Amino acid sequence: MELLSPAGNVEKLKYCYIYGADASYIGLKNFSLRVKADNFYEDEYKKVCELKKQFPQKKLHCALNISFHNSEIDRLIQNLPYFKQYPIDAFIVQDLGIVPLLQKEFPDAQLHLSTQASCMNREAVKVYKSLGFSRVVMGREASLKEIAEIKDAVPDMEIECFVHGAMCIAYAGRCLMSAYLNGRSAQSGFCSHACRWDYDILAKGNEEGCEEKSVYSDEARAVAQSGRLVLREHKRSDEYFPVYEGENFTAVLSSKDLCMIEHLAELKKAGVDSLKIEGRMKSAYYVAMITRAYRKALDALDGKITDDEAKPFVDELYKASHRPFTTAFYFNKANADETVCGASDSPYNLVAQVGEKLSEEEENNVLQKAHTLKTERENEYNSLCEKAKIAWDKRVEALPDKHLKTAERIDGWKMYELTALNMIDDKSELEIVTPDIVSEKLDQKDFVLINPGTGEIYNWVCDGHKAVIYTNKDLSVQGVLIRAKDEGYVEGQFRDPGR
């Protein structure tokens, strides 16, 4: 089975490939259901082409899965010369109006039917096959039994299924709630995830002067936090959707996250050809960890590694950000009917990405800058009178971040490019993760962070600091990530980090 991972930008595309995806799907600016993802535009096709050269066996799928208005069709036609610069292997579409256009302009690219088309029966699959589609991304409401029946009826049609990530409370994600509340249509790629917004529970107040005004009362709060509040549609007397207020959030129609990693054998038996991970708007860390977990699980299923070898990687999946998991509609519809309280959470924060190892010349250049700066400071210090030296020493002690130490050569250590994403200081509990290392502790004694422009050793770094990491660890493998434990994380308690 193919493993298909999400890429919201070039960086995430690289991590998809490095961490084990067979293929990745991207969106092009303004023509994707994830407009708020970075998506791809301008000259990024050059970077994508380079990645494809680096990973020639990997596939690239492009989501053109919005519902097109006339003006958007016109814009699509205008942008075709730009799209042709991408090495696209397949287009994911729901709007049949663009099919003849894609078939004419991209004769070598496959057509994959988007899940937004809600294809869930064998007769519909036959129709789409007759129109030139080679793959159907099943509607998420399809069960494994139905998928197996479809594969039996149309064996030469590839079947792709979502196996992990956020789900929409609406039918195959075809939701108008966002458009209703703030004019942002989900079908045009502007979904604002209104089902996961923070709502207040209000009650009619009887305070003087506000008899008709809804106010937030202690009584309403107590009911909302009791867990007894539910929604029930009038004609469905036996279906209940919980409304629950927690610390800084109220859950109304928020679905659980999908997770099928424990059921890959059942998916394979049903005839599924491609396993799709949701998450073009998720972080590079999330994409890497989830892709890696499914890669190892698939390798174990295929006998390439043992279950025991795969297990530590699979366990890491549960440490990536997620809401409580469900198997959705695959086995029992009741699993998909459960809504959830709280937001996704993780015990780790990604703090840095490690890049290429510096060449010997580049490393020597950094160390030479450090030596030059150290010599200049020593000369300046030695030229001072005793009182001035005392004042200098006091300034250094009082303002350590303004008077950084300089790096010196350490035998056996190497320098690597480092992109800081969050705070790293001497209190950070750091771990290294790679495609084949579950996690490895990175002790403070095993590295220093250096300003490559000056050769100074940072006391701390965060996003925006230009840095290299000088370490005795071998970080030469592609895709090394550094994570830190989140001190505010409590297992089993899902915090609300905001929308």
Side-chain angles (χ1 to χ4, degrees), residues 357-371:
K357 183 170 72 173
L358 270 62
S359 67
E360 185 176 348
E361 181 181 353
E362 291 170 327
E363 186 174 305
N364 288 337
N365 185 40
V366 173
L367 293 171
Q368 182 58 51
K369 289 177 181 177
H371 177 72

Side-chain angles (χ1 to χ4, degrees), residues 58 125 191 202 218 222 242 252 335-336 345 371 413 421 442 457 476:
K58 308 285 188 178
V125 171
C191 181
L202 302 176
D218 291 338
V252 182
N335 291 329
D345 208 355
H371 177 72
W413 287 39
L421 303 172
L442 181 61
I457 298 175
S476 57

Side-chain angles (χ1 to χ4, degrees), residues 142-298:
S143 68
L144 274 183
K145 179 176 180 294
E146 291 171 319
I147 291 169
E149 292 170 350
I150 289 171
K151 191 66 176 180
D152 287 343
V154 197
D156 50 351
M157 176 67 91
E158 293 182 356
I159 301 295
E160 178 178 307
C161 293
F162 278 94
V163 294
H164 197 92
M167 298 194 304
C168 184
I169 202 72
Y171 195 78
R174 298 164 71 177
C175 178
L176 288 175
M177 188 174 181
S178 177
Y180 173 75
L181 288 176
N182 64 0
R184 288 171 48 179
S185 170
Q187 291 307 294
S188 295
F190 291 96
C191 181
S192 56
H193 303 282
C195 58
R196 295 190 174 101
W197 284 3
D198 303 329
Y199 294 90
D200 291 329
I201 302 296
L202 302 176
K204 291 286 185 180
N206 56 9
E207 290 84 350
E208 184 178 351
C210 61
E211 288 79 2
E212 297 302 321
K213 182 180 179 182
S214 291
V215 297
Y216 196 81
S217 69
D218 291 338
E219 180 183 357
R221 186 195 306 271
V223 173
Q225 292 181 346
S226 69
R228 294 184 289 111
L229 201 60
V230 296
L231 296 178
R232 185 180 69 179
E233 202 275 329
H234 290 178
K235 295 183 179 179
R236 294 167 176 81
S237 59
D238 59 343
E239 295 186 17
Y240 301 93
F241 296 94
V243 177
Y244 180 80
E245 176 139 335
E247 186 69 27
N248 299 321
F249 73 86
T250 303
V252 182
L253 293 171
S254 182
S255 61
K256 289 185 176 182
D257 282 0
L258 175 64
C259 180
M260 287 290 288
I261 199 162
E262 302 293 343
H263 304 284
L264 301 186
E266 290 99 319
L267 288 160
K268 185 175 183 178
K269 184 178 179 181
V272 175
D273 298 284
S274 180
L275 307 178
K276 189 170 193 171
I277 298 169
E278 181 275 338
R280 274 186 288 149
M281 293 174 64
K282 296 292 182 65
S283 69
Y285 174 73
Y286 176 92
V287 169
M289 293 299 97
I290 303 304
T291 298
R292 186 180 70 168
Y294 276 89
R295 176 75 277 147
K296 298 301 183 182
L298 280 171

Side-chain angles (χ1 to χ4, degrees), residues 381 384-397:
Y381 183 82
L384 300 174
C385 67
E386 288 304 314
K387 286 187 177 180
K389 288 180 179 178
I390 293 172
W392 178 299
D393 292 339
K394 287 182 178 179
R395 285 199 305 272
V396 171
E397 184 179 358

Side-chain angles (χ1 to χ4, degrees), residues 79-148:
N79 279 275
L80 285 175
Y82 170 71
F83 291 172
K84 288 182 177 181
Q85 298 177 102
Y86 282 86
I88 295 169
D89 296 297
F91 287 100
I92 306 168
V93 302
Q94 67 153 316
D95 193 325
L96 294 181
I98 68 170
V99 168
L101 187 63
L102 294 176
Q103 289 173 323
K104 177 184 176 182
E105 299 293 337
F106 301 89
D108 296 328
Q110 294 183 343
L111 284 176
H112 295 176
L113 184 72
S114 171
T115 189
Q116 300 296 122
S118 301
C119 182
M120 291 182 295
N121 65 75
R122 61 180 179 273
E123 300 307 318
V125 171
K126 291 176 185 176
V127 170
Y128 285 115
K129 180 172 175 51
S130 72
L131 294 174
F133 285 87
S134 62
R135 178 181 295 187
V136 168
V137 186
M138 296 303 302
R140 299 197 200 192
E141 299 75 25
S143 68
L144 274 183
K145 179 176 180 294
E146 291 171 319
I147 291 169

